[in-house]
Amino acid sequence: MKQIFKKVSSLCTVLLMMAVLTLTGVSSVWAADEVDDTVKQTLVTTAEGLTDTIIALSDEDIENYTKSSDEFTVGAMTAWAGSKDEVGALKERTGETEVKASDDGYTVTVPVSFEKADANFVYIFDASTGTPTSLTVDVQYSMAETLRRAVMNTIMGIAIVFIVLIFLSFLIYLFRFIPNPEAKKKAQAAAPAPAPVAAPVEVAEADDTELIAVIAAAIAAAEGTTTDGFVVRSIRKINRKKR
């Protein structure tokens, strides 16, 4: 019985220690997420003041500030210049400014309403110095605007693909007009040699007049007469059959 009691006591002790460690971890997370009211108010005031100042800047002021040596100033001006035309003129600051703590600083979000679209000015503040390190202007597009942008991007992508294909086809078509010495040499090597032209053979034909005179003389000699007594008009070969 004592051994069983000891085992149960040991198990309860282990469970109690695990519960204490779990609660300690949770409390640490809560402490990390919580922001002191004084710090929070300072961050909200700074972020809202920066937002109002940036929105009120003219194009000339923005261009001048982009030449600054301060990294945050240049980044903030670049972010606002890229979103200024998309959101339009200022209407009002809507909603409550949110402050979230993290391990390396604070994230402050200032919601602002404009004529064309709403936008969130998201600042990152350094935890040790309390100064802003970056600004992002997050434009909140409507569903219709989001769909329109998606359709336009799709159409542009398809159009670019077709233009590239047409250009490549045109280049391939032009290749036939470019002389290719290697192909010409191969064609000449593969072509058969021209057959020698036979020289015309001149066949000497016997003169019928001379042949008739010779035959007439032979007949006259055989008959013992002269060639004046007869005239050879034709010469015909007689085929004699063998018996």
Side-chain angles (χ1 to χ4, degrees), residues 111-151:
V112 184
S113 179
F114 295 90
E115 290 182 352
K116 296 181 181 179
D118 296 339
N120 292 332
F121 284 67
V122 183
Y123 297 88
I124 302 297
F125 284 83
D126 185 80
S128 58
T129 61
T131 57
T133 57
S134 67
L135 167 63
T136 303
V137 181
D138 185 12
V139 181
Q140 305 296 310
Y141 298 105
S142 62
M143 181 61 68
E145 181 64 18
T146 303
L147 292 176
R148 187 187 71 83
R149 287 175 172 268
V151 172

Side-chain angles (χ1 to χ4, degrees), residues 81-104:
S83 305
K84 182 179 180 181
D85 295 336
E86 295 183 5
V87 298
L90 173 66
K91 292 176 63 177
E92 59 182 348
R93 277 197 285 107
T94 58
E96 183 179 357
T97 301
E98 298 181 357
V99 179
K100 293 182 179 180
S102 59
D103 295 337
D104 54 351

Side-chain angles (χ1 to χ4, degrees), residues 5-159:
F5 180 75
K6 288 181 180 180
K7 291 180 180 180
V8 172
S9 300
S10 301
L11 180 61
C12 291
T13 303
V14 172
L15 293 175
L16 181 61
M17 292 177 65
M18 292 176 61
V20 171
L21 292 174
T22 304
L23 292 175
T24 303
V26 173
S27 62
S28 298
V29 174
W30 286 345
D33 291 339
E34 291 178 355
V35 181
D36 183 75
D37 291 339
T38 304
V39 175
K40 181 177 181 180
Q41 186 60 38
T42 302
L43 293 174
V44 169
T45 303
T46 304
E48 291 179 350
L50 284 173
T51 302
D52 294 337
T53 302
I54 292 172
I55 294 174
L57 292 176
S58 62
D59 294 338
E60 184 178 358
D61 294 334
I62 294 174
E63 184 178 358
N64 292 331
Y65 278 118
T66 53
K67 301 176 183 178
S68 173
S69 59
D70 182 65
E71 184 177 354
F72 168 75
T73 302
V74 175
M77 294 300 103
T78 303
W80 173 236
S83 305
K84 182 179 180 181
D85 295 336
E86 295 183 5
V87 298
L90 173 66
K91 292 176 63 177
E92 59 182 348
R93 277 197 285 107
T94 58
E96 183 179 357
T97 301
E98 298 181 357
V99 179
K100 293 182 179 180
S102 59
D103 295 337
D104 54 351
Y106 302 95
T107 302
V108 184
T109 303
V110 182
V112 184
S113 179
F114 295 90
E115 290 182 352
K116 296 181 181 179
D118 296 339
N120 292 332
F121 284 67
V122 183
Y123 297 88
I124 302 297
F125 284 83
D126 185 80
S128 58
T129 61
T131 57
T133 57
S134 67
L135 167 63
T136 303
V137 181
D138 185 12
V139 181
Q140 305 296 310
Y141 298 105
S142 62
M143 181 61 68
E145 181 64 18
T146 303
L147 292 176
R148 187 187 71 83
R149 287 175 172 268
V151 172
M152 291 299 297
N153 291 336
T154 303
I155 294 175
M156 289 181 62
I158 294 175

